[in-house]
Amino acid sequence: MALQYNLAKVYEISENDIEFALQIVTLFFEEVPAEIKAIKIAIEEKDFDKAYASCHKIKPTLDLLGMDLAYEENLQIITWAKAEGKRKEIKEVFKSLKDRVELAVKEIKKDFKL
């Protein structure tokens, strides 16, 4: 049972198409962890444009997978990047986002036998 993600939106827009759901989780699995690494580097280097771009890229996927808390944390990083904000608190937000994505990846691997 998925705890870190929810496919309700995916099934709603696809009319319960299992193949479509598999494509979405595969997209998540292939792209989001790489973008998380890019966000980490961007935060460390105070590369606000790169942080914004990577967060913006994963935003629809987090929303589609019902990862509401990760989505909100991602928005906080976007806001931070736009404001070229302080680094200290954003590292905690990023760590939480990273942890949520890693847990979701583990669940997806298990649930979809990837």
Side-chain angles (χ1 to χ4, degrees):
M1 181 80 194
L3 300 174
Q4 298 298 321
Y5 70 98
N6 182 336
L7 295 177
K9 285 183 185 176
V10 173
Y11 288 126
E12 183 180 325
I13 64 170
S14 71
E15 298 176 351
N16 295 320
D17 184 339
I18 302 290
E19 284 299 313
F20 180 73
L22 183 59
Q23 288 176 346
I24 295 299
V25 297
T26 301
L27 177 74
F28 171 84
F29 184 71
E30 291 174 351
E31 291 189 1
V32 174
E35 291 303 323
I36 291 292
K37 287 178 185 164
I39 294 166
K40 180 180 192 294
I41 292 166
I43 289 171
E44 288 170 355
E45 297 177 352
K46 292 187 180 180
D47 185 341
F48 303 111
D49 292 336
K50 178 62 180 160
Y52 177 85
S54 290
C55 286
H56 190 71
K57 184 175 179 180
I58 67 172
K59 192 169 96 170
T61 307
L62 296 176
D63 182 44
L64 200 53
L65 288 180
M67 295 177 64
D68 298 336
L69 295 172
Y71 182 83
E72 290 303 319
E73 291 164 345
N74 192 52
L75 289 180
Q76 288 179 42
I77 298 171
I78 287 174
T79 301
W80 170 84
K82 281 192 216 170
E84 297 186 0
K86 293 184 180 156
R87 213 166 82 173
K88 195 171 187 181
E89 75 281 353
I90 210 64
K91 283 187 171 187
E92 293 169 20
V93 173
F94 170 76
K95 183 177 180 340
S96 180
L97 171 63
K98 179 177 160 282
D99 292 347
R100 290 181 202 287
V101 168
E102 287 173 352
L103 288 170
V105 166
K106 286 179 185 173
E107 282 188 10
I108 289 169
K109 276 183 177 178
K110 184 179 174 194
D111 294 347
F112 286 85
K113 297 174 179 54
L114 296 174

